[in-house]
Amino acid sequence: MTSTSASTHAKRFLVGVLVVGAVVVAAGALAAPVHDLLVGWGWLEVAEGQPHKMFLKVFRRLLLIPLVAVLFVAFRPWRDGTLETFGLKPVRLGLCFKAWALTLVVALVVLGIHLGVGWRVPEETWRPAKLAGRLGQYLVAGFVIALLEEWFFRAWLWTRFGRERSPLHAAVATSAVYAALHAFRPGALNEVEVTHDLSGALEALGLWLAHLADPVGFGRMFVGLFLFGLLLSGLFARTGSLWAPIGVHAAGILFVYSHGTVTDAAHGAPWIVGTKRLFDGAPGWAVLVLATVWLWRPGRPAPEPRSPCLHGRAPSLVRAPPP
Protein backbone atom coordinates (compact mmCIF):
# COMPACT_ATOMS: atom_id res chain seq x y z
CA MET A 1 0.00 0.00 0.00
CA THR A 2 1.45 3.37 -1.02
CA SER A 3 1.69 6.32 1.35
CA THR A 4 -0.96 8.18 -0.67
CA SER A 5 -3.36 5.26 -0.45
CA ALA A 6 -2.72 4.88 3.28
CA SER A 7 -3.35 8.59 3.79
CA THR A 8 -6.61 8.39 1.85
CA HIS A 9 -7.81 5.43 3.92
CA ALA A 10 -6.84 7.22 7.14
CA LYS A 11 -8.82 10.32 6.11
CA ARG A 12 -11.86 8.23 5.22
CA PHE A 13 -11.66 6.42 8.53
CA LEU A 14 -11.42 9.71 10.43
CA VAL A 15 -14.39 11.15 8.55
CA GLY A 16 -16.35 7.98 9.31
CA VAL A 17 -15.57 8.21 13.02
CA LEU A 18 -16.63 11.88 13.11
CA VAL A 19 -19.87 11.16 11.26
CA VAL A 20 -20.75 8.26 13.54
CA GLY A 21 -19.94 10.36 16.60
CA ALA A 22 -22.16 13.18 15.36
CA VAL A 23 -25.03 10.75 14.74
CA VAL A 24 -24.67 9.28 18.25
CA VAL A 25 -24.73 12.69 19.92
CA ALA A 26 -27.65 13.92 17.81
CA ALA A 27 -29.68 10.76 18.48
CA GLY A 28 -29.00 11.00 22.20
CA ALA A 29 -29.97 14.66 22.35
CA LEU A 30 -33.21 14.14 20.36
CA ALA A 31 -34.33 10.92 22.07
CA ALA A 32 -36.02 12.53 25.08
CA PRO A 33 -37.94 15.30 23.22
CA VAL A 34 -39.09 12.90 20.50
CA HIS A 35 -40.12 10.32 23.12
CA ASP A 36 -42.11 12.89 25.10
CA LEU A 37 -43.76 14.16 21.91
CA LEU A 38 -44.84 10.70 20.79
CA VAL A 39 -46.14 9.81 24.25
CA GLY A 40 -48.07 13.09 24.38
CA TRP A 41 -49.67 12.31 21.01
CA GLY A 42 -50.62 8.85 22.24
CA TRP A 43 -48.43 7.11 19.65
CA LEU A 44 -46.30 5.45 22.34
CA GLU A 45 -47.54 3.67 25.44
CA VAL A 46 -45.23 3.52 28.43
CA ALA A 47 -44.98 -0.08 29.61
CA GLU A 48 -45.91 -0.68 33.23
CA GLY A 49 -42.82 -1.38 35.30
CA GLN A 50 -40.55 -0.51 32.36
CA PRO A 51 -40.62 3.29 32.09
CA HIS A 52 -37.37 3.42 30.12
CA LYS A 53 -38.22 0.84 27.46
CA MET A 54 -39.91 3.24 25.05
CA PHE A 55 -37.22 5.88 25.56
CA LEU A 56 -34.59 3.32 24.60
CA LYS A 57 -36.64 2.25 21.57
CA VAL A 58 -36.83 5.85 20.37
CA PHE A 59 -33.10 6.35 20.94
CA ARG A 60 -32.21 3.15 19.09
CA ARG A 61 -34.31 4.11 16.07
CA LEU A 62 -32.93 7.64 16.00
CA LEU A 63 -29.49 6.06 16.09
CA LEU A 64 -29.90 3.23 13.59
CA ILE A 65 -31.85 5.00 10.84
CA PRO A 66 -29.20 7.72 10.23
CA LEU A 67 -26.37 5.16 10.54
CA VAL A 68 -28.01 2.96 7.91
CA ALA A 69 -28.47 6.03 5.70
CA VAL A 70 -24.77 6.88 6.10
CA LEU A 71 -23.89 3.29 5.24
CA PHE A 72 -25.99 3.45 2.08
CA VAL A 73 -24.40 6.71 0.98
CA ALA A 74 -20.89 5.41 1.66
CA PHE A 75 -21.22 1.99 -0.01
CA ARG A 76 -24.14 2.45 -2.43
CA PRO A 77 -25.22 -1.19 -2.15
CA TRP A 78 -27.66 -0.93 -5.05
CA ARG A 79 -24.65 -0.76 -7.39
CA ASP A 80 -23.43 -4.20 -6.28
CA GLY A 81 -26.23 -6.12 -7.95
CA THR A 82 -29.69 -6.20 -9.45
CA LEU A 83 -32.96 -7.72 -8.32
CA GLU A 84 -31.96 -10.84 -10.22
CA THR A 85 -28.47 -11.18 -8.73
CA PHE A 86 -29.80 -10.41 -5.25
CA GLY A 87 -32.28 -13.29 -5.60
CA LEU A 88 -35.41 -11.14 -5.48
CA LYS A 89 -36.40 -11.66 -9.09
CA PRO A 90 -38.24 -13.69 -10.23
CA VAL A 91 -40.62 -13.35 -7.29
CA ARG A 92 -41.10 -16.88 -5.95
CA LEU A 93 -44.04 -16.54 -3.57
CA GLY A 94 -44.71 -20.28 -3.66
CA LEU A 95 -41.20 -21.04 -2.39
CA CYS A 96 -41.55 -18.29 0.22
CA PHE A 97 -44.84 -19.74 1.52
CA LYS A 98 -43.46 -23.29 1.66
CA ALA A 99 -40.43 -22.11 3.66
CA TRP A 100 -42.72 -20.04 5.92
CA ALA A 101 -45.13 -22.93 6.58
CA LEU A 102 -42.36 -25.50 7.17
CA THR A 103 -40.66 -23.18 9.65
CA LEU A 104 -43.88 -22.74 11.62
CA VAL A 105 -44.40 -26.51 11.75
CA VAL A 106 -40.86 -27.12 13.05
CA ALA A 107 -41.18 -24.27 15.56
CA LEU A 108 -44.48 -25.68 16.85
CA VAL A 109 -42.84 -29.08 17.31
CA VAL A 110 -40.03 -27.50 19.35
CA LEU A 111 -42.61 -25.57 21.40
CA GLY A 112 -44.54 -28.81 21.93
CA ILE A 113 -41.39 -30.40 23.35
CA HIS A 114 -40.95 -27.46 25.74
CA LEU A 115 -44.59 -27.71 26.86
CA GLY A 116 -44.43 -31.49 27.18
CA VAL A 117 -41.29 -31.46 29.32
CA GLY A 118 -42.64 -28.58 31.39
CA TRP A 119 -40.08 -25.96 30.42
CA ARG A 120 -42.92 -23.69 29.32
CA VAL A 121 -46.56 -23.58 30.42
CA PRO A 122 -49.65 -21.86 28.98
CA GLU A 123 -50.40 -18.45 30.46
CA GLU A 124 -52.96 -18.59 33.26
CA THR A 125 -54.69 -15.48 31.92
CA TRP A 126 -54.49 -16.38 28.25
CA ARG A 127 -56.57 -13.97 26.16
CA PRO A 128 -57.12 -15.34 22.63
CA ALA A 129 -58.70 -12.07 21.51
CA LYS A 130 -55.49 -10.22 22.34
CA LEU A 131 -53.43 -12.61 20.23
CA ALA A 132 -55.93 -12.56 17.37
CA GLY A 133 -55.86 -8.78 17.34
CA ARG A 134 -52.08 -8.74 16.99
CA LEU A 135 -51.59 -11.60 14.52
CA GLY A 136 -52.01 -9.32 11.51
CA GLN A 137 -49.45 -6.90 12.92
CA TYR A 138 -46.97 -9.72 13.62
CA LEU A 139 -47.51 -11.19 10.15
CA VAL A 140 -46.92 -7.92 8.30
CA ALA A 141 -44.01 -6.89 10.52
CA GLY A 142 -42.43 -10.30 10.04
CA PHE A 143 -42.38 -10.08 6.24
CA VAL A 144 -41.27 -6.44 6.17
CA ILE A 145 -38.40 -7.03 8.61
CA ALA A 146 -37.45 -10.28 6.88
CA LEU A 147 -37.35 -8.67 3.43
CA LEU A 148 -35.15 -5.79 4.59
CA GLU A 149 -32.78 -7.86 6.74
CA GLU A 150 -32.41 -10.67 4.23
CA TRP A 151 -31.58 -8.24 1.44
CA PHE A 152 -29.06 -6.43 3.62
CA PHE A 153 -27.36 -9.39 5.32
CA ARG A 154 -27.78 -12.36 2.98
CA ALA A 155 -27.90 -10.66 -0.42
CA TRP A 156 -25.66 -7.60 -0.05
CA LEU A 157 -23.33 -8.07 2.96
CA TRP A 158 -22.64 -11.71 2.14
CA THR A 159 -21.81 -10.62 -1.39
CA ARG A 160 -19.34 -8.00 -0.10
CA PHE A 161 -17.66 -10.43 2.29
CA GLY A 162 -17.59 -13.13 -0.38
CA ARG A 163 -15.39 -11.14 -2.73
CA GLU A 164 -12.29 -12.25 -0.85
CA ARG A 165 -13.59 -15.27 1.06
CA SER A 166 -15.16 -18.63 0.38
CA PRO A 167 -18.98 -18.75 0.58
CA LEU A 168 -18.87 -20.50 3.95
CA HIS A 169 -16.33 -18.09 5.44
CA ALA A 170 -18.37 -15.15 4.12
CA ALA A 171 -21.51 -16.65 5.68
CA VAL A 172 -19.72 -17.03 9.03
CA ALA A 173 -18.66 -13.35 8.97
CA THR A 174 -22.12 -12.20 7.90
CA SER A 175 -23.85 -14.28 10.57
CA ALA A 176 -21.53 -12.93 13.27
CA VAL A 177 -22.41 -9.34 12.33
CA TYR A 178 -26.10 -10.24 12.12
CA ALA A 179 -26.08 -11.82 15.58
CA ALA A 180 -23.99 -9.09 17.22
CA LEU A 181 -26.30 -6.28 16.12
CA HIS A 182 -29.16 -7.89 18.05
CA ALA A 183 -27.40 -7.03 21.32
CA PHE A 184 -28.73 -3.49 20.94
CA ARG A 185 -32.24 -4.25 22.18
CA PRO A 186 -34.22 -2.13 24.64
CA GLY A 187 -35.24 -5.34 26.42
CA ALA A 188 -31.61 -6.05 27.27
CA LEU A 189 -31.69 -3.10 29.68
CA ASN A 190 -35.04 -3.78 31.37
CA GLU A 191 -33.44 -3.85 34.82
CA VAL A 192 -31.44 -0.66 34.29
CA GLU A 193 -32.62 2.86 35.10
CA VAL A 194 -31.38 5.54 32.74
CA THR A 195 -32.22 9.22 32.71
CA HIS A 196 -34.20 10.55 29.76
CA ASP A 197 -31.52 12.85 28.39
CA LEU A 198 -28.27 12.77 26.44
CA SER A 199 -26.25 11.32 29.32
CA GLY A 200 -28.84 8.57 29.82
CA ALA A 201 -28.78 7.71 26.12
CA LEU A 202 -24.98 7.53 26.08
CA GLU A 203 -25.07 5.40 29.24
CA ALA A 204 -27.50 3.03 27.51
CA LEU A 205 -25.21 2.81 24.48
CA GLY A 206 -22.30 1.88 26.74
CA LEU A 207 -24.40 -0.76 28.48
CA TRP A 208 -25.46 -2.21 25.11
CA LEU A 209 -21.81 -2.50 24.08
CA ALA A 210 -21.03 -4.20 27.39
CA HIS A 211 -24.02 -6.52 26.86
CA LEU A 212 -22.53 -7.58 23.53
CA ALA A 213 -19.47 -8.95 25.37
CA ASP A 214 -21.50 -10.56 28.17
CA PRO A 215 -21.54 -14.36 27.67
CA VAL A 216 -24.24 -14.83 30.32
CA GLY A 217 -26.62 -12.07 29.25
CA PHE A 218 -26.17 -12.31 25.47
CA GLY A 219 -24.17 -15.47 24.79
CA ARG A 220 -27.17 -17.80 24.34
CA MET A 221 -28.94 -15.42 22.00
CA PHE A 222 -25.76 -14.81 19.99
CA VAL A 223 -25.26 -18.54 19.42
CA GLY A 224 -28.85 -18.99 18.28
CA LEU A 225 -28.83 -16.01 15.94
CA PHE A 226 -25.43 -16.98 14.54
CA LEU A 227 -26.70 -20.47 13.69
CA PHE A 228 -29.89 -18.97 12.26
CA GLY A 229 -27.80 -16.70 10.02
CA LEU A 230 -25.78 -19.67 8.74
CA LEU A 231 -29.01 -21.53 8.02
CA LEU A 232 -30.44 -18.60 6.05
CA SER A 233 -27.23 -18.20 4.04
CA GLY A 234 -27.20 -21.90 3.20
CA LEU A 235 -30.83 -21.78 2.17
CA PHE A 236 -30.15 -18.81 -0.11
CA ALA A 237 -27.28 -20.61 -1.79
CA ARG A 238 -29.18 -23.89 -2.17
CA THR A 239 -32.32 -22.36 -3.68
CA GLY A 240 -30.73 -19.45 -5.55
CA SER A 241 -33.59 -17.27 -4.32
CA LEU A 242 -33.82 -14.83 -1.43
CA TRP A 243 -37.53 -15.65 -1.06
CA ALA A 244 -36.78 -18.89 0.79
CA PRO A 245 -34.83 -17.23 3.66
CA ILE A 246 -37.40 -14.41 3.69
CA GLY A 247 -40.13 -16.99 4.36
CA VAL A 248 -38.15 -18.69 7.12
CA HIS A 249 -37.24 -15.36 8.74
CA ALA A 250 -40.82 -14.04 8.60
CA ALA A 251 -42.19 -17.22 10.14
CA GLY A 252 -39.65 -17.02 12.95
CA ILE A 253 -40.68 -13.48 13.82
CA LEU A 254 -44.39 -14.36 13.74
CA PHE A 255 -43.86 -17.41 15.92
CA VAL A 256 -41.71 -15.74 18.58
CA TYR A 257 -44.05 -12.77 18.96
CA SER A 258 -47.19 -14.94 18.96
CA HIS A 259 -46.33 -17.76 21.34
CA GLY A 260 -44.61 -15.35 23.70
CA THR A 261 -48.01 -13.80 24.43
CA VAL A 262 -49.66 -17.11 25.36
CA THR A 263 -46.92 -19.12 27.15
CA ASP A 264 -44.74 -18.49 30.19
CA ALA A 265 -41.39 -19.91 31.28
CA ALA A 266 -41.70 -22.59 33.97
CA HIS A 267 -38.39 -24.06 35.09
CA GLY A 268 -35.09 -25.31 33.77
CA ALA A 269 -31.53 -24.09 33.36
CA PRO A 270 -31.40 -21.07 30.99
CA TRP A 271 -28.62 -22.60 28.88
CA ILE A 272 -30.86 -25.65 28.35
CA VAL A 273 -34.36 -24.27 27.87
CA GLY A 274 -33.61 -20.75 26.66
CA THR A 275 -36.27 -18.03 26.69
CA LYS A 276 -39.50 -17.52 24.76
CA ARG A 277 -37.41 -17.15 21.61
CA LEU A 278 -36.59 -20.90 21.81
CA PHE A 279 -33.54 -20.47 19.53
CA ASP A 280 -31.41 -19.51 22.56
CA GLY A 281 -31.52 -22.90 24.25
CA ALA A 282 -30.29 -26.44 23.56
CA PRO A 283 -33.40 -27.79 21.72
CA GLY A 284 -33.47 -24.81 19.39
CA TRP A 285 -29.72 -25.01 18.79
CA ALA A 286 -30.03 -28.70 17.92
CA VAL A 287 -32.66 -27.98 15.26
CA LEU A 288 -30.62 -25.12 13.81
CA VAL A 289 -27.40 -27.17 13.73
CA LEU A 290 -29.09 -30.10 11.96
CA ALA A 291 -30.73 -27.85 9.37
CA THR A 292 -27.54 -25.85 8.83
CA VAL A 293 -25.35 -28.92 8.38
CA TRP A 294 -27.86 -30.37 5.92
CA LEU A 295 -27.92 -27.17 3.85
CA TRP A 296 -24.15 -26.72 3.83
CA ARG A 297 -23.32 -30.38 3.24
CA PRO A 298 -21.16 -31.20 0.23
CA GLY A 299 -21.94 -33.99 -2.17
CA ARG A 300 -24.49 -32.59 -4.56
CA PRO A 301 -24.38 -29.64 -6.95
CA ALA A 302 -26.05 -26.49 -5.76
CA PRO A 303 -28.72 -25.13 -8.07
CA GLU A 304 -27.79 -22.19 -10.21
CA PRO A 305 -27.70 -19.35 -7.65
CA ARG A 306 -28.33 -15.71 -8.34
CA SER A 307 -26.16 -13.86 -5.82
CA PRO A 308 -22.74 -12.68 -7.08
CA CYS A 309 -20.84 -13.72 -3.98
CA LEU A 310 -17.38 -14.51 -5.36
CA HIS A 311 -15.90 -11.96 -7.73
CA GLY A 312 -19.16 -11.57 -9.57
CA ARG A 313 -19.95 -15.28 -9.43
CA ALA A 314 -22.69 -16.93 -7.44
CA PRO A 315 -22.16 -18.44 -3.98
CA SER A 316 -22.23 -22.08 -5.08
CA LEU A 317 -21.68 -24.37 -2.13
CA VAL A 318 -20.01 -27.11 -4.13
CA ARG A 319 -18.73 -27.52 -7.61
CA ALA A 320 -20.83 -29.54 -10.00
CA PRO A 321 -19.20 -32.85 -10.90
CA PRO A 322 -17.84 -33.13 -14.44
CA PRO A 323 -20.21 -34.78 -16.94
Short mmCIF file of all heavy atoms in Angstrom, two decimals, residues 20 26 29 49 53 77 82 118 121 124 141 148 182 219 221 225 230 237 252 263-264:
data_model
loop_
_atom_site.label_atom_id
_atom_site.label_comp_id
_atom_site.label_asym_id
_atom_site.label_seq_id
_atom_site.Cartn_x
_atom_site.Cartn_y
_atom_site.Cartn_z
N VAL A 20 -20.09 9.14 12.59
CA VAL A 20 -20.75 8.26 13.54
C VAL A 20 -20.90 8.95 14.90
O VAL A 20 -21.95 8.87 15.55
CB VAL A 20 -19.98 6.93 13.70
CG1 VAL A 20 -20.54 6.11 14.85
CG2 VAL A 20 -20.05 6.13 12.40
N ALA A 26 -26.37 13.39 18.25
CA ALA A 26 -27.65 13.92 17.81
C ALA A 26 -28.81 13.01 18.23
O ALA A 26 -29.84 13.49 18.71
CB ALA A 26 -27.64 14.09 16.29
N ALA A 29 -29.37 13.38 21.98
CA ALA A 29 -29.97 14.66 22.35
C ALA A 29 -31.44 14.74 21.95
O ALA A 29 -32.25 15.39 22.63
CB ALA A 29 -29.20 15.80 21.68
N GLY A 49 -44.01 -0.78 34.70
CA GLY A 49 -42.82 -1.38 35.30
C GLY A 49 -41.57 -1.23 34.46
O GLY A 49 -40.49 -1.63 34.90
N LYS A 53 -38.25 1.67 28.65
CA LYS A 53 -38.22 0.84 27.46
C LYS A 53 -38.52 1.64 26.20
O LYS A 53 -37.82 1.51 25.18
CB LYS A 53 -39.22 -0.31 27.60
CG LYS A 53 -39.12 -1.35 26.49
CD LYS A 53 -39.99 -2.56 26.79
CE LYS A 53 -39.83 -3.62 25.70
NZ LYS A 53 -40.65 -4.83 26.01
N PRO A 77 -25.05 0.25 -1.93
CA PRO A 77 -25.22 -1.19 -2.15
C PRO A 77 -26.02 -1.54 -3.40
O PRO A 77 -25.86 -2.63 -3.94
CB PRO A 77 -25.94 -1.66 -0.88
CG PRO A 77 -26.57 -0.44 -0.32
CD PRO A 77 -25.66 0.69 -0.66
N THR A 82 -28.34 -6.51 -8.96
CA THR A 82 -29.69 -6.20 -9.45
C THR A 82 -30.69 -7.07 -8.69
O THR A 82 -30.30 -7.91 -7.86
CB THR A 82 -29.80 -6.50 -10.95
OG1 THR A 82 -29.61 -7.91 -11.16
CG2 THR A 82 -28.75 -5.72 -11.74
N GLY A 118 -42.32 -29.48 30.29
CA GLY A 118 -42.64 -28.58 31.39
C GLY A 118 -41.75 -27.37 31.47
O GLY A 118 -41.79 -26.64 32.47
N VAL A 121 -45.17 -23.25 30.07
CA VAL A 121 -46.56 -23.58 30.42
C VAL A 121 -47.47 -22.52 29.80
O VAL A 121 -47.04 -21.38 29.56
CB VAL A 121 -46.77 -23.60 31.95
CG1 VAL A 121 -45.97 -24.73 32.58
CG2 VAL A 121 -46.39 -22.25 32.57
N GLU A 124 -51.74 -18.39 32.48
CA GLU A 124 -52.96 -18.59 33.26
C GLU A 124 -54.08 -17.66 32.79
O GLU A 124 -55.25 -18.02 32.84
CB GLU A 124 -52.67 -18.36 34.74
CG GLU A 124 -51.71 -19.38 35.35
CD GLU A 124 -51.48 -19.14 36.82
OE1 GLU A 124 -52.08 -18.18 37.36
OE2 GLU A 124 -50.72 -19.90 37.44
N ALA A 141 -45.34 -7.29 10.02
CA ALA A 141 -44.01 -6.89 10.52
C ALA A 141 -42.97 -7.96 10.21
O ALA A 141 -41.83 -7.64 9.84
CB ALA A 141 -44.08 -6.63 12.02
N LEU A 148 -36.23 -6.77 4.45
CA LEU A 148 -35.15 -5.79 4.59
C LEU A 148 -33.87 -6.44 5.10
O LEU A 148 -32.78 -6.20 4.57
CB LEU A 148 -35.59 -4.67 5.54
CG LEU A 148 -36.75 -3.79 5.05
CD1 LEU A 148 -37.16 -2.80 6.12
CD2 LEU A 148 -36.38 -3.05 3.77
N HIS A 182 -27.96 -7.67 17.24
CA HIS A 182 -29.16 -7.89 18.05
C HIS A 182 -28.91 -7.68 19.55
O HIS A 182 -29.83 -7.81 20.35
CB HIS A 182 -29.72 -9.29 17.81
CG HIS A 182 -30.46 -9.43 16.52
ND1 HIS A 182 -29.81 -9.54 15.31
CD2 HIS A 182 -31.78 -9.46 16.23
CE1 HIS A 182 -30.70 -9.65 14.33
NE2 HIS A 182 -31.90 -9.60 14.86
N GLY A 219 -24.83 -14.34 25.44
CA GLY A 219 -24.17 -15.47 24.79
C GLY A 219 -25.14 -16.45 24.15
O GLY A 219 -24.96 -16.88 23.01
N MET A 221 -28.25 -16.02 23.14
CA MET A 221 -28.94 -15.42 22.00
C MET A 221 -28.00 -15.29 20.81
O MET A 221 -28.39 -15.52 19.66
CB MET A 221 -29.50 -14.06 22.39
CG MET A 221 -30.38 -13.42 21.32
SD MET A 221 -31.13 -11.88 21.91
CE MET A 221 -32.05 -11.39 20.45
N LEU A 225 -28.72 -16.88 17.11
CA LEU A 225 -28.83 -16.01 15.94
C LEU A 225 -27.71 -16.30 14.94
O LEU A 225 -27.92 -16.21 13.72
CB LEU A 225 -28.78 -14.54 16.37
CG LEU A 225 -30.03 -14.03 17.07
CD1 LEU A 225 -29.78 -12.66 17.69
CD2 LEU A 225 -31.21 -13.95 16.08
N LEU A 230 -26.40 -18.67 9.60
CA LEU A 230 -25.78 -19.67 8.74
C LEU A 230 -26.83 -20.47 7.98
O LEU A 230 -26.66 -20.80 6.80
CB LEU A 230 -24.91 -20.61 9.58
CG LEU A 230 -23.57 -20.09 10.07
CD1 LEU A 230 -22.87 -21.17 10.89
CD2 LEU A 230 -22.68 -19.66 8.91
N ALA A 237 -28.17 -20.01 -0.80
CA ALA A 237 -27.28 -20.61 -1.79
C ALA A 237 -27.89 -21.85 -2.43
O ALA A 237 -27.73 -22.09 -3.62
CB ALA A 237 -25.94 -20.95 -1.15
N GLY A 252 -40.28 -17.07 11.65
CA GLY A 252 -39.65 -17.02 12.95
C GLY A 252 -40.11 -15.84 13.77
O GLY A 252 -40.39 -15.95 14.97
N THR A 263 -47.64 -18.15 26.31
CA THR A 263 -46.92 -19.12 27.15
C THR A 263 -45.97 -18.38 28.08
O THR A 263 -45.53 -17.27 27.80
CB THR A 263 -46.11 -20.13 26.31
OG1 THR A 263 -45.06 -19.43 25.61
CG2 THR A 263 -47.00 -20.85 25.31
N ASP A 264 -45.67 -19.03 29.20
CA ASP A 264 -44.74 -18.49 30.19
C ASP A 264 -43.64 -19.52 30.46
O ASP A 264 -43.86 -20.73 30.32
CB ASP A 264 -45.45 -18.18 31.51
CG ASP A 264 -46.21 -16.87 31.45
OD1 ASP A 264 -45.72 -15.93 30.79
OD2 ASP A 264 -47.31 -16.80 32.05
#
